[in-house]
Amino acid sequence: QSALTQPASVSGSPGQSITISCTGTSTDIGAYDSVSWYQHHPGKAPKLIIYEVTNRPSGVSSRFSGSKSGNTASLTISGLQAEDEADYYCSSFTSSGQYVFGSGTKVTVL
Amino acid sequence: QVQLVQSEPEVKQSGTSVKVSCKASGYTFTSYYIHWVRQAPLQGLEWMGMISTSNGGTNYAQKFHGRVTMTSDTPTSTVYMELSSLKSEDTAVYYCAREPPGTYRFEYWGQGTLVTVSS
């Protein structure tokens, strides 16, 4: 199972909005509404920020939102803040009953 | 509060095995799956497999079939991940993570355990 495809890096200025794409296939992202997104600061444990494509866990800022179209999922961060600088990973359940992560995107706040 | 506390860092020789533990607290242990995810240096996250703590059923990533064994001990609320025939490419931080069954999300994570494989 190949990793889902994400851009290596995305940057934006404070207050701007950025979007990270996550492209898979009809056997993972396209097959299930199981896409999750994780924020990962180096040296810390990853943190769940979006699940089931669009849902935010309790306590996660409403500045994070998710969507999906076909085989591509997206994470949007609005009102970018310095603390949002981190690595972001998508994940999906697959038709083979396993899980796959995205290649990861480094978000830089300019 | 929910906590997943993992074992200390390990340094292993190539060809040997490592066993990493993940001790759960703050919730009913057998009501959630535990997954293992690793991150090699300068690499992304990689799913290794999962175990059902209620019945011990496992599902391993094809890449690790034959080399990984995940076990669960209910009395101590601890899950173990053993990786054998270690290679230098197995040097990574290994994380355990909790999933409410059938929800496809890893909602709580352990702090990670660094495993270094030296030749």
Side-chain angles (χ1 to χ4, degrees):
Chain A
Q1 179 77 49
S2 299
L4 306 173
T5 301
Q6 297 181 230
S9 61
V10 173
S11 61
S13 300
Q16 286 188 327
S17 292
I18 61 170
T19 296
I20 302 168
S21 61
C22 170
T23 301
T25 69
S26 59
T27 61
D28 39 63
I29 291 178
Y32 307 95
D33 285 336
S34 64
V35 176
S36 297
W37 288 90
Y38 301 87
Q39 178 189 62
H40 191 198
H41 288 103
K44 299 186 69 177
K47 176 185 177 183
L48 175 69
I49 56 173
I50 294 289
Y51 65 96
E52 292 174 1
V53 181
T54 62
N55 297 303
R56 271 180 291 107
S58 174
V60 172
S61 172
S62 58
R63 298 185 299 103
F64 294 96
S65 61
S67 63
K68 187 185 92 165
S69 178
N71 298 335
T72 298
S74 299
L75 172 72
T76 297
I77 308 175
S78 57
L80 199 62
Q81 299 180 1
E83 68 209 48
D84 300 332
E85 190 160 289
D87 297 321
Y88 291 82
Y89 293 90
C90 56
S91 77
S92 175
F93 185 68
T94 76
S95 59
S96 58
Q98 310 209 320
Y99 290 78
V100 61
F101 281 95
S103 47
T105 298
K106 181 177 181 59
V107 169
T108 301
V109 181
L110 301 172
Chain B
Q1 73 282 22
V2 174
Q3 282 194 304
L4 298 174
V5 179
Q6 299 183 220
S7 48
E8 293 297 305
E10 301 255 18
V11 178
K12 293 290 184 178
Q13 294 287 321
S14 294
T16 64
S17 299
V18 68
K19 193 169 187 176
V20 181
S21 67
C22 171
K23 184 173 176 60
S25 62
Y27 70 95
T28 302
F29 177 69
T30 53
S31 295
Y32 296 83
Y33 297 158
I34 293 291
H35 294 251
W36 289 90
V37 175
R38 76 178 187 179
Q39 183 177 37
L42 302 179
Q43 301 291 314
L45 300 176
E46 180 176 32
W47 183 78
M48 298 182 67
M50 57 80 66
I51 184 167
S52 167
T53 54
S54 62
N55 62 19
T58 54
N59 178 13
Y60 302 141
Q62 292 171 353
K63 174 177 179 177
F64 299 102
H65 258 285
R67 278 213 304 144
V68 70
T69 303
M70 297 177 188
T71 56
S72 175
D73 183 61
T74 300
T76 61
S77 299
T78 302
V79 171
Y80 299 91
M81 186 283 298
E82 183 169 22
L83 189 63
S84 62
S85 302
L86 289 169
K87 308 168 240 186
S88 57
E89 308 91 271
D90 294 317
T91 293
V93 176
Y94 290 76
Y95 295 99
C96 60
R98 185 186 93 164
E99 178 207 354
T103 64
Y104 313 117
R105 63 183 186 258
F106 310 137
E107 54 174 13
Y108 288 96
W109 295 65
Q111 84 276 19
T113 296
L114 174 63
V115 174
T116 303
V117 182
S118 62
S119 52

